[in-house]
């Protein structure tokens, strides 16, 4: 017998273990721990109350983790254990997800899926989702880059949030959920937040971090006319190559100017995704 339970009534450790197990072999493996889960909940506006897990005779076997911002919902994570696939459970969970968001007066639901995951794309198409644009994840290995010549000043997520709003409209940016200015604000102290200046004039910003393998850029943009995404990315790359030999950016939308700047700076694509949406009101 399948029953459902809101995440607010489930131990966080149970949720983390379930999601990690389902996504362990995915193209984007999930390896949540308590700290990263709690940060993702806040940063991505995950609604613990509206998210849920499915249980078979009390054993967790599936889940739908939902984010909500105003009248837009996002399926942050969705899946069922391998032994329960192909038995209708996933369809039952997606129906429940859509109904939950309808009652919240959400107008559309978005999600991302790996372009190579044809089975999941067919599943979402079957349930009314349609592809809207392509996302790409990029990397670049250290080359003979020149030294960075812009200056970088540490600041806060609140300051970068305001700069990101300005850049979004000035440069007609079309960020995905993870790069919306509100996401940067909600990330608080998770990353490095830096104002980029040229001759004492603020010209851009970068949000970045690093792990044992590489540096990663969360977001970056010029904020002043006369400064291009190409120039900003070139300089940031030089700066970060002083720290690690590899730089990564994930899930960059094809219609955002950051995408072209990465291509022009000889970044390579290693994974493509499809952003999909379903209108429900």
């Amino acid at each position: 017998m399948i029953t459902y339970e809101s995440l607010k009534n489930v131990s966080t450790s149970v949720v983390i273990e379930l999601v990690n197990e389902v996504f362990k072999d995915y193209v984007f493996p999930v390896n949540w721990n308590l700290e990263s889960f709690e940060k993702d909940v806040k940063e991505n506006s995950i609604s613990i109350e509206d998210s849920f897990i499915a249980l078979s005779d009390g054993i967790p076997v599936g889940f739908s983790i939902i984010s909500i911002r105003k009248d837009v919902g996002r399926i942050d994570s969705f899946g069922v254990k391998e032994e329960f696939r192909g038995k209708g459970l996933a369809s039952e969970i997606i129906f429940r997800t859509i109904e939950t968001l309808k009652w919240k007066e959400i107008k559309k639901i978005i999600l991302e899926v790996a372009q190579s995951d044809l089975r999941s794309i067919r599943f979402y198409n079957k349930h009314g989702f349609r592809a809207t644009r392509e996302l790409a994840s990029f990397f670049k290995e250290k080359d003979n880059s020149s030294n960075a010549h812009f200056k970088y000043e540490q600041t806060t997520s609140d300051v970068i949030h305001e700069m990101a709003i300005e850049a979004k409209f000035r440069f007609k940016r079309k960020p995905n959920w993870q790069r919306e200015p509100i996401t940067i604000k909600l990330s608080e102290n998770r990353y490095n937040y830096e104002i980029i200046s040229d001759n004492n004039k603020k010209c851009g910003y970068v949000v970045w971090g690093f792990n044992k393998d590489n540096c990663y850029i969360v977001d970056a943009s010029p904020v002043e006319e006369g400064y291009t995404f190409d120039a900003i990315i070139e300089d940031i790359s030089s700066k970060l190559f002083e720290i690690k030999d590899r730089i990564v950016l994930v899930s960059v939308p094809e219609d955002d100017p950051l995408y072209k700047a990465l291509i022009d700076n000889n970044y390579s694509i290693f994974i493509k995704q499809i952003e999909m949406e379903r209108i429900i009101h």
Side-chain angles (χ1 to χ4, degrees):
M1 177 181 175
I2 300 295
T3 57
Y4 294 93
E5 193 67 62
S6 166
L7 255 58
K8 69 177 182 180
N9 298 324
V10 179
S11 166
T12 302
S13 62
V14 170
V15 177
I16 291 171
E17 183 179 348
L18 175 62
V19 175
N20 287 354
E21 179 181 348
V22 170
F23 279 97
K24 64 184 178 182
D25 296 323
Y26 197 59
V27 291
F28 277 118
V30 175
N31 189 25
W32 265 335
N33 56 36
L34 180 59
E35 181 183 13
S36 60
F37 173 76
E38 290 178 344
K39 286 181 176 179
D40 279 352
V41 166
K42 185 166 188 177
E43 183 174 331
N44 290 316
S45 306
I46 291 171
S47 172
I48 295 296
E49 178 180 337
D50 297 301
S51 302
F52 59 89
I53 65 170
L55 303 103
S56 175
D57 297 323
I59 304 299
V61 295
F63 57 88
S64 180
I65 297 180
I66 303 167
S67 298
I68 296 175
R69 289 180 182 162
K70 297 182 179 179
D71 60 357
V72 179
R74 174 175 175 263
I75 298 177
D76 183 276
S77 299
F78 178 98
V80 299
K81 287 186 175 180
E82 187 172 0
E83 60 267 33
F84 284 84
R85 294 171 190 168
K87 299 180 179 180
L89 178 58
S91 290
E92 193 173 305
I93 293 175
I94 200 71
F95 284 136
R96 187 180 182 91
T97 300
I98 293 167
E99 287 303 307
T100 296
L101 291 171
K102 277 184 179 178
W103 280 104
K104 303 286 288 190
E105 299 185 348
I106 296 300
K107 292 184 178 180
K108 72 175 180 179
I109 309 171
I110 62 173
L111 57 85
E112 303 90 37
V113 61
Q115 191 179 68
S116 60
D117 188 357
L118 300 180
R119 178 177 178 177
S120 292
I121 292 172
R122 287 194 297 268
F123 171 81
Y124 289 120
N125 277 328
K126 175 183 174 183
H127 293 288
F129 288 84
R130 297 294 177 260
T132 54
R133 59 181 176 175
E134 183 181 282
L135 311 175
S137 293
F138 293 86
F139 78 95
K140 186 177 183 180
E141 304 287 353
K142 188 172 183 177
D143 54 17
N144 295 318
S145 308
S146 60
N147 293 330
H149 67 272
F150 293 149
K151 291 186 177 180
Y152 294 79
E153 176 189 355
Q154 284 281 350
T155 186
T156 66
S157 60
D158 285 342
V159 171
I160 300 299
H161 167 250
E162 295 299 324
M163 297 177 74
I165 292 173
E166 180 182 353
K168 181 178 178 180
F169 292 101
R170 176 169 289 180
F171 295 99
K172 297 180 173 59
R173 296 197 66 188
K174 295 182 179 179
N176 56 326
W177 189 276
Q178 296 97 321
R179 286 185 179 82
E180 283 287 352
I182 187 59
T183 307
I184 294 173
K185 180 180 178 70
L186 293 172
S187 67
E188 294 185 336
N189 298 319
R190 189 173 190 177
Y191 310 111
N192 296 295
Y193 309 87
E194 295 186 332
I195 298 169
I196 304 172
S197 299
D198 181 29
N199 293 322
N200 296 317
K201 178 182 180 181
K202 293 179 182 178
C203 61
Y205 70 84
V206 59
V207 180
W208 66 279
F210 67 92
N211 53 38
K212 65 182 180 65
D213 298 317
N214 45 247
C215 283
Y216 54 88
I217 299 172
V218 178
D219 192 33
S221 176
V223 293
E224 289 290 340
E225 300 291 349
Y227 292 90
T228 65
F229 276 84
D230 280 2
I232 293 291
I233 289 299
E234 181 180 8
D235 203 77
I236 292 168
S237 299
S238 296
K239 167 188 166 66
L240 297 185
F241 278 139
E242 295 176 5
I243 301 169
K244 294 286 183 178
D245 291 341
R246 192 169 190 263
I247 302 172
V248 173
L249 296 87
V250 299
S251 306
V252 181
E254 63 181 339
D255 53 356
D256 186 80
L258 179 60
Y259 186 105
K260 183 177 184 301
L262 294 168
I263 296 290
D264 290 345
N265 275 276
N266 298 315
Y267 277 74
S268 301
I269 294 172
F270 66 95
I271 292 176
K272 288 188 176 182
Q273 295 166 278
I274 302 297
E275 187 177 76
M276 306 183 78
E277 73 173 26
R278 172 173 168 163
I279 306 300
I280 57 176
H281 277 296

